[in-house]
Amino acid sequence: MITTVVVTESVFATTWFALLLSFVAVNTLMYLTLAISKILPKLYLGTLRKRRYERNQERSIHPQGMAPPPPRIGRFDPEP
Amino acid sequence: MVFAVMAIEEPDPPARVRATLFGGWNVVYSTALPPLSTVIAAIGLAFLLAAGVAIVEHRITNRLRRSLDPERNPLSPRPVMDRTQGVFSGPVTITALVPAHNEETTIAHTLASLRTQHRPPERVIVVADNCTDRTAAIARREGAEIYHSVHNKEKKGGALNQVLAILLTSMGPNDAVMVIDADTTIDPLFLHEADQRMTADRALMAVGGLFAGGEGGGLLGQYQRNEFTRYRREITRRRGRPFVLTGTATVFRSEAMRTVAMERGRSLPGIRGYVYDTSALTEDNEITLALKSLGATMTSPPECTVTTEIMPTWHMLFKQRLRWQRGALENLGAYGMRRAVLRYWAQQLGIGYAVLAIVAYFAVIAIQFFATETWIWFPWWVVVGGIFALERVITAWSGGARARWLAALLFPELAYAVVLHVVFVTGVVDIVFGRRANWSHLDRSAKEAALR
């Protein structure tokens, strides 16, 4: 036996369809907001302040006051 | 166009207008708008969710970054700097490890890419894992050292663990290890950038690559390239803060790897002494979570681009993504709800929600299609669709003309998103029913046949 489901325009008047529609509309608008936020440049609040951030201690591998040595040539180098 | 169906929310049925466009196209349209309250609520909710995730992530990152506790966060900048204060342990050195399982067709390219670096690595070691082809011979000819894995049954992670157990014992605080896949090439400035950054910041524990897809593969290849282009853009906008230190190419400070190995079986999942957790399907995602849990700082700068192979068939792509998806979920299961990984839980919930949203969306489209005799256009929602297309194009812009065209069409990429959502659902179902996962190494001959 073959059964067919007929969807008529009366479906638009049902509560479940209204709920489904609202769910989809809210989602679409939410994703739209996220899409617009991805188009616009990202804003970092820190950059709006004039204050300059400086590290309170030197983080380089060279202890403070020590001059860095010349760069080393690697073993896996095209030049012999 | 299809966003049109979502606007029938007015108490009275909206007025339908018949019109003829472009001289002969008869259309029926409605000027109905969604209620203002719905628009405001949706926009507010989106901001709340996005800002909530960003604020939580920011707070957690700062807390870990500023941690003074060497027991709980041994890789946080302060404990690391305290340990190395006033001591010069030599310049940064880089040892490249190339794990390879039957990679004779690509290994030479990878090694050439390392050799031609602006700042080449000090050592290159190819980790030949159960190879039955000429991988080792080619690597030797190209000037690399060879390490053969011994009785390894635990794939890439197992092979790397073996060589790292030997290598890490002789490494100092400024010696770094690069792990690079044998089917991958890197930007000529990658190692220079990694060296510079690790020299300038002795607390920086890892520099990861930003991957791009290789050429070819037709439409499927373009889908993947667009995806990677958007990921690169996203990470650059996040000022280099990566979600994953890619397994394709990442430089780790040796101390990071040693500490991870020490912490396994204690604060981290896995077996003590192993750098990589061999039970993880996605070992690169797992080690990222491990490092973040220990407070490590890491970066993926735009200079460190990695070009890796794209999956040439839908079947291979599906298998690869299923592994990624299952791996990500299983890793989260292993780490639980700890602070460092909350962002990743939010991400998975986001994908789950997107699946629901897309199913509901297609359901509404189908009902609209079958319940009405004539298609009704809603101009307001057409504009919304236009903005989505604009976002797709802008975010894929740097991928070139093809990337932009594909993005502008909107619907092909929507179909691709559906495939990725099916992968997500399959991954969740497989985990729930305890189905066994396969690592699914890319079979070279099958891949080449597909590319032909």
Side-chain angles (χ1 to χ4, degrees), chain A residues 7 9 22 24 27 30-31 35 37-38 40 44 47 57-62 66 72 75-78, chain B residues 6 9 42 81 85 88 93 115 120-122 124 174 199-202 233 237 239 353 370-371 391:
Chain A
V7 188
E9 285 208 38
S22 305
V24 172
N27 285 337
M30 268 172 35
Y31 284 114
S37 75
K38 281 184 183 167
L40 300 173
Y44 285 94
T47 53
Q57 61 168 296
E58 174 61 44
R59 277 170 82 148
S60 143
I61 61 168
H62 304 288
M66 187 182 148
R72 255 184 12 192
R75 262 181 57 188
F76 196 71
D77 197 287
Chain B
M6 295 174 299
E9 285 197 315
M81 288 192 298
Q85 188 73 46
F88 178 61
T93 71
R115 198 172 43 239
E122 275 75 10
V124 174
N174 296 330
T199 300
D201 183 356
R202 63 188 194 276
R233 181 179 187 267
R237 276 161 69 90
R239 295 170 164 178
Y353 188 85
F370 290 112
E391 182 265 337

Side-chain angles (χ1 to χ4, degrees), chain A residues 42 44, chain B residues 57-58 61 235 238-243 298-300:
Chain A
K42 201 162 182 171
Y44 285 94
Chain B
E57 188 189 10
H58 183 71
T61 309
I235 299 301
R238 282 167 57 86
R239 295 170 164 178
R241 284 177 298 130
F243 293 119
M298 56 188 75
T299 185
S300 287

Side-chain angles (χ1 to χ4, degrees), chain A residues 5-14 16-48 53 55-64 66-79, chain B residues 3 5-6 8-9 16 38-39 42-43 45-47 49-50 77 81 85-88 90-93 111 114-115 120-122 124 142-145 174 198-203 233 237-239 241 353-354 356-357 360-361 364 367-368 370-372 380-381 384 387-388 390-391 394:
Chain A
V5 181
V6 179
V7 188
T8 62
E9 285 208 38
S10 63
V11 76
F12 298 139
T14 59
W16 68 263
F17 186 75
L19 279 174
L20 181 66
L21 211 53
S22 305
F23 179 63
V24 172
V26 168
N27 285 337
T28 308
L29 290 166
M30 268 172 35
Y31 284 114
L32 177 74
T33 311
L34 295 177
I36 293 171
S37 75
K38 281 184 183 167
I39 295 174
L40 300 173
K42 201 162 182 171
L43 190 71
Y44 285 94
L45 293 176
T47 53
L48 296 178
Y53 286 91
R55 295 197 189 282
N56 58 11
Q57 61 168 296
E58 174 61 44
R59 277 170 82 148
S60 143
I61 61 168
H62 304 288
Q64 256 153 339
M66 187 182 148
R72 255 184 12 192
I73 304 294
R75 262 181 57 188
F76 196 71
D77 197 287
E79 305 297 327
Chain B
F3 300 103
V5 290
M6 295 174 299
I8 320 162
E9 285 197 315
R16 292 174 186 181
T38 308
V39 177
I43 292 173
L45 205 61
F47 269 117
L49 286 172
M81 288 192 298
Q85 188 73 46
V87 186
F88 178 61
V92 168
T93 71
L111 295 176
L114 285 168
R115 198 172 43 239
E122 275 75 10
V124 174
E142 295 289 324
E145 301 169 51
N174 296 330
M198 285 190 165
T199 300
D201 183 356
R202 63 188 194 276
R233 181 179 187 267
R237 276 161 69 90
R238 282 167 57 86
R239 295 170 164 178
R241 284 177 298 130
Y353 188 85
L356 277 182
Y361 169 73
V364 168
I367 292 168
Q368 156 87 359
F370 290 112
T372 53
W380 199 87
W381 293 102
V384 168
I387 299 173
F388 276 120
L390 189 68
E391 182 265 337
I394 290 174

Side-chain angles (χ1 to χ4, degrees), chain B residues 309-360:
Chain B
E309 293 185 314
I310 44 112
M311 292 292 119
T313 66
W314 285 102
H315 179 67
M316 283 174 180
L317 178 77
F318 197 87
K319 274 174 84 174
Q320 181 203 47
R321 295 313 167 91
L322 190 58
R323 183 171 70 81
W324 288 5
Q325 184 55 54
R326 263 199 83 154
L329 284 169
E330 287 178 2
N331 291 161
L332 282 179
Y335 278 79
M337 291 296 283
R338 64 178 81 184
R339 275 199 313 248
V341 303
L342 281 180
R343 178 67 169 80
Y344 296 84
W345 280 106
Q347 219 161 13
Q348 293 300 324
L349 282 176
I351 304 174
Y353 188 85
V355 172
L356 277 182
I358 215 156
V359 168

Side-chain angles (χ1 to χ4, degrees), chain B residues 215-414:
Chain B
E215 282 302 306
L219 178 66
L220 185 58
Q222 195 58 52
Y223 277 138
Q224 294 170 73
R225 283 189 288 276
N226 278 17
E227 205 183 353
F228 298 157
T229 301
R230 293 199 178 97
Y231 180 76
R232 278 204 308 282
R233 181 179 187 267
E234 178 64 17
I235 299 301
T236 308
R237 276 161 69 90
R238 282 167 57 86
R239 295 170 164 178
R241 284 177 298 130
F243 293 119
V244 180
L245 290 167
T246 172
T248 52
T250 291
V251 180
F252 298 93
R253 209 176 269 275
S254 60
E255 191 185 354
M257 288 185 144
R258 261 196 306 271
T259 312
V260 167
M262 291 287 288
E263 287 295 322
R264 291 217 185 271
R266 283 170 56 185
S267 63
L268 298 176
I271 299 165
R272 194 174 154 92
Y274 280 4
V275 175
Y276 285 97
D277 180 5
T278 49
S279 67
L281 281 170
T282 42
E283 75 293 326
D284 53 353
N285 184 62
E286 200 281 337
I287 204 166
T288 313
L289 300 189
L291 290 171
K292 287 199 171 182
S293 299
L294 299 174
T297 53
M298 56 188 75
T299 185
S300 287
E303 296 83 357
C304 295
T305 313
V306 177
T307 307
T308 193
E309 293 185 314
I310 44 112
M311 292 292 119
T313 66
W314 285 102
H315 179 67
M316 283 174 180
L317 178 77
F318 197 87
K319 274 174 84 174
Q320 181 203 47
R321 295 313 167 91
L322 190 58
R323 183 171 70 81
W324 288 5
Q325 184 55 54
R326 263 199 83 154
L329 284 169
E330 287 178 2
N331 291 161
L332 282 179
Y335 278 79
M337 291 296 283
R338 64 178 81 184
R339 275 199 313 248
V341 303
L342 281 180
R343 178 67 169 80
Y344 296 84
W345 280 106
Q347 219 161 13
Q348 293 300 324
L349 282 176
I351 304 174
Y353 188 85
V355 172
L356 277 182
I358 215 156
V359 168
Y361 169 73
F362 282 119
V364 168
I365 299 290
I367 292 168
Q368 156 87 359
F369 184 78
F370 290 112
T372 53
E373 283 174 15
T374 43
W375 186 265
I376 305 156
W377 294 82
F378 292 80
W380 199 87
W381 293 102
V382 173
V383 171
V384 168
I387 299 173
F388 276 120
L390 189 68
E391 182 265 337
R392 295 280 86 190
V393 173
I394 290 174
T395 51
W397 193 263
S398 62
R402 280 187 199 165
R404 294 167 209 163
W405 274 111
L406 182 62
L409 294 172
L410 199 63
F411 289 97
E413 287 203 317
L414 189 66

Side-chain angles (χ1 to χ4, degrees), chain B residues 1 6 25 27 117 220 227 289 322 335 403 436 443 448:
Chain B
M1 172 182 76
M6 295 174 299
W25 185 28
V27 292
Q117 284 289 297
L220 185 58
E227 205 183 353
L289 300 189
L322 190 58
Y335 278 79
R436 224 176 132 257
D443 179 3
E448 275 149 24

